[in-house]
Amino acid sequence: MSSPKNPLLLLSYASIAALWIGAQVVVIPYVVNLMLLVTSILYAACHLSLTLREEQALARGETPPGEEEEEEKDGKGDDEDDEEYERPQYETLKTSDAMQFPLLGSASLFGLYLAFKYFDPETVNLVISVYFCLVGLAALTATFGPALESLGPRFLGEWTFDKRVRVRHPLPEFVGGASPWKLGAEGNAADVLAFLGSAAFTVVYFQTKHWTMNNVMGICFCLQGIERFSLGTYKIGAILLVGLFFYDIFWVVSLIASYLSFSVAI
C-alpha cells in the first residue's frame, strides 16, 4: 500500500533534491546548505522510522487492530497461521553494543590499514569500491522505491510479489547461523523500477566516481541508517556519541589523514 502523502515529508524530499541540483549551478552558502540538508534528511528519516514502533509491537506479540478483528471473524486455522506467520525480529541497540561499537570500528579501520600496507592498494581499492557500490545499490533501492510508490501511478504499488525459500546448510550454528536459512524477497513494481534505475546509477558511479553521485549515495545512507537504527534510550545514544567522538579524533584525524591516501568515499 502507498503511504499517505505527508506534506512535510514531501517538502523534505523536495528540499533535498533542490539543494543537490542547486549546488551544481549556483554557490549555496555552506551553513545554509548544511542546515537545510541536515534538517530535511533528519525529518524524512525520522518520519519513516515510525514503522519501527509497529515492528516493536509485533515483536512483543501484539496484533494490529485490523488484523485482530479479522482473526476474530475468521476463527479458523489458528495453529496453521501460527506456524506460517513469523513475527519480525526487532532489535534495539543495547548499552554493551554502544560501548563495543567504537572498538569494532577501530578494529575494522586497523584491518583496513594493514590491507593497504601489505597488499596492492589498487586491488584493495577495487574490492572496497565494489562493496561500497553493492551497499549503495541497496540503499538507493530502499530510498527511491517508496518514493516512486508514493508519487507515481497507482499500479506501481498494486503489483506485488513475495517469494520465500528455506535453504539447509551444513555449517555450524556459530558460523552460518540456524539452519535452514530463511531467504525471501518481497516488493512491488516501484521497487523493481527503483532497483533497475539504482543499478544503472551504481554502474555509472563505479566508472566515474563523480562527487555529485557520491553525495546521492551519502544522502541515501543517512536516510536508511536513521530510518532503521533504534537506540532504545537517550543514555545509549549519549554513550555511542561520546565513544564515536574519541574514535573520530584518534582514527580520522590522527591516523587516517596521516598514513593513508585512498578514496574519500571509503
Side-chain angles (χ1 to χ4, degrees), residues 148-217:
L148 284 176
E149 180 184 355
S150 178
L151 300 176
R154 181 176 299 178
F155 75 88
L156 292 179
E158 292 178 347
W159 182 85
T160 61
F161 63 91
D162 188 355
K163 302 293 183 181
R164 302 189 182 277
V165 295
R166 298 191 178 191
V167 180
R168 297 188 178 278
H169 65 85
L171 300 174
E173 186 172 350
F174 69 91
V175 175
S179 180
W181 288 330
K182 299 173 184 177
L183 308 177
E186 59 180 327
N188 51 34
D191 295 323
V192 174
L193 290 178
F195 175 79
L196 295 176
S198 300
F201 181 95
T202 304
V203 170
V204 176
Y205 170 77
F206 182 79
Q207 295 175 342
T208 63
K209 299 293 194 303
H210 199 279
W211 65 271
T212 56
M213 304 180 76
N214 186 77
N215 286 351
V216 173
M217 285 193 171

Side-chain angles (χ1 to χ4, degrees), residues 14-237:
S15 299
I16 293 172
L19 289 169
W20 182 81
I21 296 174
Q24 320 303 318
V25 294
V26 297
V27 178
I28 303 177
Y30 172 75
V31 175
V32 174
N33 193 349
L34 179 66
M35 295 301 295
L36 290 178
L37 186 61
V38 170
T39 302
S40 299
I41 290 175
L42 283 176
Y43 180 84
C46 290
H47 178 84
L48 297 173
S49 71
L50 292 176
T51 56
L52 291 176
R53 298 176 59 190
E54 181 178 347
E55 293 179 4
Q56 186 178 23
L58 290 174
R60 292 195 300 264
E62 300 176 5
T63 304
E67 294 184 7
E68 187 175 352
E69 293 176 2
E70 292 179 1
E71 290 180 359
E72 291 178 355
K73 292 180 180 179
D74 196 6
K76 61 180 180 179
D78 291 340
D79 296 335
E80 295 179 358
D81 292 342
D82 290 341
E83 292 179 359
E84 293 294 330
Y85 179 72
E86 296 180 1
R87 299 294 183 185
Q89 298 299 313
Y90 178 84
E91 294 185 2
T92 303
L93 194 70
K94 302 175 182 177
T95 303
S96 58
D97 298 329
M99 292 179 177
Q100 294 173 8
F101 197 90
L103 299 178
L104 295 175
S106 298
S108 300
L109 283 181
F110 185 67
L112 184 63
Y113 167 76
L114 294 178
F116 274 95
K117 185 176 180 63
Y118 295 106
F119 296 97
D120 179 28
E122 294 295 330
T123 303
V124 177
N125 255 323
L126 177 62
V127 172
I128 294 177
S129 295
V130 171
Y131 171 77
F132 183 79
C133 288
L134 291 176
V135 178
L137 173 61
L140 288 167
T141 303
T143 300
F144 288 104
L148 284 176
E149 180 184 355
S150 178
L151 300 176
R154 181 176 299 178
F155 75 88
L156 292 179
E158 292 178 347
W159 182 85
T160 61
F161 63 91
D162 188 355
K163 302 293 183 181
R164 302 189 182 277
V165 295
R166 298 191 178 191
V167 180
R168 297 188 178 278
H169 65 85
L171 300 174
E173 186 172 350
F174 69 91
V175 175
S179 180
W181 288 330
K182 299 173 184 177
L183 308 177
E186 59 180 327
N188 51 34
D191 295 323
V192 174
L193 290 178
F195 175 79
L196 295 176
S198 300
F201 181 95
T202 304
V203 170
V204 176
Y205 170 77
F206 182 79
Q207 295 175 342
T208 63
K209 299 293 194 303
H210 199 279
W211 65 271
T212 56
M213 304 180 76
N214 186 77
N215 286 351
V216 173
M217 285 193 171
I219 291 172
C220 291
F221 285 144
C222 291
L223 289 170
Q224 294 305 311
I226 298 172
E227 176 184 349
R228 303 172 188 276
F229 196 61
S230 178
L231 290 176
T233 65
Y234 289 107
K235 175 185 175 181
I236 295 175

